[in-house]
Amino acid sequence: MQSRELFEAMARSVVEGDSDAATELARRSVAAGIDPLEAINEGFVRGINFVGEEFSRENMFLPELVMAGEAMKSAIAVLEPEMAKAGAARKIHGKVVLAAAPGDIHDIGKSLVGTMLSAHGFQVFDLGVDVPVARVIEKVRDEGADIVGVSALLTTTMVGQRDVIEALKDAGLRSKVKVMVGGAPVTQEWAAQIGADAFGEDAVQAVTIARQLVGSPG
Ligand code: HCB
């Protein structure tokens, strides 16, 4: 199968919510030596984006969204170790605390950001989904984090990103840690409005930005 056909089959496996097919296609791409991030972005992400669009048009419904998310996660479970290998034994650029905003249970993109940051020499503390602001602050303080990354996929949970920034100020930590926000509805404008240091469009950009934020661009 050519890479283009493989990418199309990957997208289709997510649209059909077929975790077995997604796993198999991910394995096949590893065997074929395809860059795992390319497989995610050119294959699986295109499928999940299509599902998101169809969901908003009410052509697909919650069970399909759930199954598509599961298929996507099955594929990433195969590809993640391959991405991590690429960055093994690099020098540590800094510590990053990652969390999905309070009320938000989307974790695919955040986890991908975490994997990419780990693969590029950051020590990542991923607190998971629906993380209370106080828990983020506590972890930033305990670890002496250099960066905190807050993910929000819902317009209603984006305010949690602002709440983290305000809570960091209240805790006297704002000058010690950089804040990077991301997630599908998040924009550069929103990041500026809430006083974040940076907006990460995707996992690759998040790595570039994180390096800049810790003054270690190379
Ligand atoms: Co969800 N959902 N969902 N969903 N979902 C979205 C986000 C909608 C946009 C779909 C739509 O209507 N078009 C929509 C939000 C509308 C809005 O608020 N504007 C929506 C809705 C409405 C909902 C529910 C409310 C549905 C319901 O229950 N009626 C519900 C909310 C649950 C909650 O959080 N409280 C819900 C649930 C779900 C699941 C559970 C079924 C499933 C998530 C599974 C999981 O994550 N374990 C899901 C999914 C899969 C989606 C879509 C289809 C895909 C999200 C995704 O994984 N994208 C999404 C539509 C879409 O976004 N296209 C839809 C792929 C990843 C790779 O991209 O953007 O997450 P990403 O991350 C990127 C990027 O943003 C950046 O890097 C990542 C990697 O490249 N980035 C950061 C992300 N975080 C960063 C942090 C940083 O510091 C830096 C960069």
Side-chain angles (χ1 to χ4, degrees), residues 13-199:
S13 70
V14 172
V15 173
E16 289 169 0
D18 187 340
S19 293
D20 291 342
T23 305
E24 175 53 28
L25 289 161
R27 287 196 184 124
R28 223 186 282 176
S29 74
V30 172
I34 293 171
D35 174 7
L37 191 64
E38 194 183 349
I40 291 174
N41 286 336
E42 295 298 314
F44 299 111
V45 165
R46 285 168 45 170
I48 201 94
N49 283 344
F50 177 80
V51 172
E53 284 157 22
E54 289 297 281
F55 178 76
S56 60
R57 292 193 194 107
E58 298 189 4
N59 290 331
M60 283 178 122
F61 300 95
L62 193 56
E64 288 152 308
L65 199 62
V66 173
M67 287 178 74
E70 291 304 317
M72 178 95 191
K73 288 181 90 166
S74 310
I76 289 177
V78 174
L79 298 170
E80 224 163 33
E82 301 302 317
M83 288 193 274
K85 269 187 215 163
R90 296 234 179 114
K91 98 173 174 53
I92 296 291
H93 291 295
K95 293 183 181 180
V96 184
V97 169
L98 279 183
D104 203 312
I105 63 161
H106 296 85
D107 71 347
I108 295 171
K110 169 190 60 59
S111 301
L112 210 51
V113 169
T115 304
M116 286 296 287
L117 286 172
S118 300
H120 288 84
F122 286 86
Q123 190 175 3
V124 175
F125 303 91
D126 188 339
L127 302 181
V129 296
D130 184 15
V131 184
V133 172
R135 171 105 182 83
V136 177
I137 306 305
E138 185 184 80
K139 196 66 178 171
V140 167
R141 184 187 287 116
D142 291 352
E143 298 298 340
D146 302 288
I147 300 174
V148 54
V150 189
S151 181
L153 267 287
L154 300 171
T155 41
T156 50
T157 57
M158 285 164 66
V159 289
Q161 298 178 323
R162 187 185 58 206
D163 295 345
V164 167
I165 293 174
E166 293 307 315
L168 285 170
K169 286 183 192 162
D170 293 345
L173 292 168
R174 183 66 187 95
S175 61
K176 298 191 173 76
V177 65
K178 304 287 186 191
V179 180
M180 172 167 67
V181 293
V186 177
T187 59
Q188 183 64 59
E189 290 67 38
W190 170 251
Q193 191 186 322
I194 63 173
D197 297 289
F199 158 63

Side-chain angles (χ1 to χ4, degrees), residues 91-94 120-122 207-218:
K91 98 173 174 53
I92 296 291
H93 291 295
H120 288 84
F122 286 86
V207 171
T208 308
I209 288 169
R211 282 179 164 170
Q212 287 165 357
L213 290 176
V214 296
S216 185

